[in-house]
Amino acid sequence: MALIKDIAKVCKSKNAGPFDLTIDVVFGDDATFDRVQATGVLCPALFARLYGVAESDVLFTPYPAGRAFKATLPRLVAAGEIGDTDVYGAQQHAPLLDVDIPL
């Protein structure tokens, strides 16, 4: 088992507009990306569970050429609205960091 924060080269979230958030998980080499992809752990269901959204609302894209996985999902609070504590989406990837990947 390995935590995403220990095997991902980059794990970041970014504001994809006032209503969406994009999370990128990038690996440093093809072998790690391939092993993570083969586990099936990174998938729409995981993002839905971690972020409290419907699985059907998660746009999930494996991107082998970039050794990355990209997930776009609805922001729970629209950017700039009352209650928005992370206007730039900079910390919303945190729930993902401690996910175990069985490598």
Side-chain angles (χ1 to χ4, degrees):
M1 300 292 274
L3 300 178
I4 288 195
K5 66 183 173 187
D6 295 330
I7 60 172
K9 184 144 179 100
V10 175
C11 186
K12 66 179 180 178
S13 50
K14 57 192 175 199
N15 187 351
F19 305 111
D20 293 313
L21 173 72
T22 296
I23 299 173
D24 297 322
V25 183
V26 183
F27 297 91
D29 57 78
D30 291 337
T32 303
F33 172 84
D34 292 342
R35 287 195 315 269
V36 170
Q37 186 173 32
T39 69
V41 171
L42 289 181
C43 65
L46 173 70
F47 285 89
R49 181 175 54 81
L50 290 176
Y51 295 93
V53 299
E55 187 174 340
S56 60
D57 287 339
V58 178
L59 175 61
F60 181 78
T61 308
Y63 184 56
R67 299 183 203 120
F69 297 90
K70 181 182 290 282
T72 300
L73 50 140
R75 292 173 54 91
L76 296 179
V77 177
E81 290 291 318
I82 293 174
D84 180 17
T85 59
D86 189 8
V87 175
Y88 300 108
Q91 301 302 317
Q92 294 187 35
H93 62 276
L96 189 60
L97 296 178
D98 291 323
V99 169
D100 272 324
I101 304 289
L103 296 180

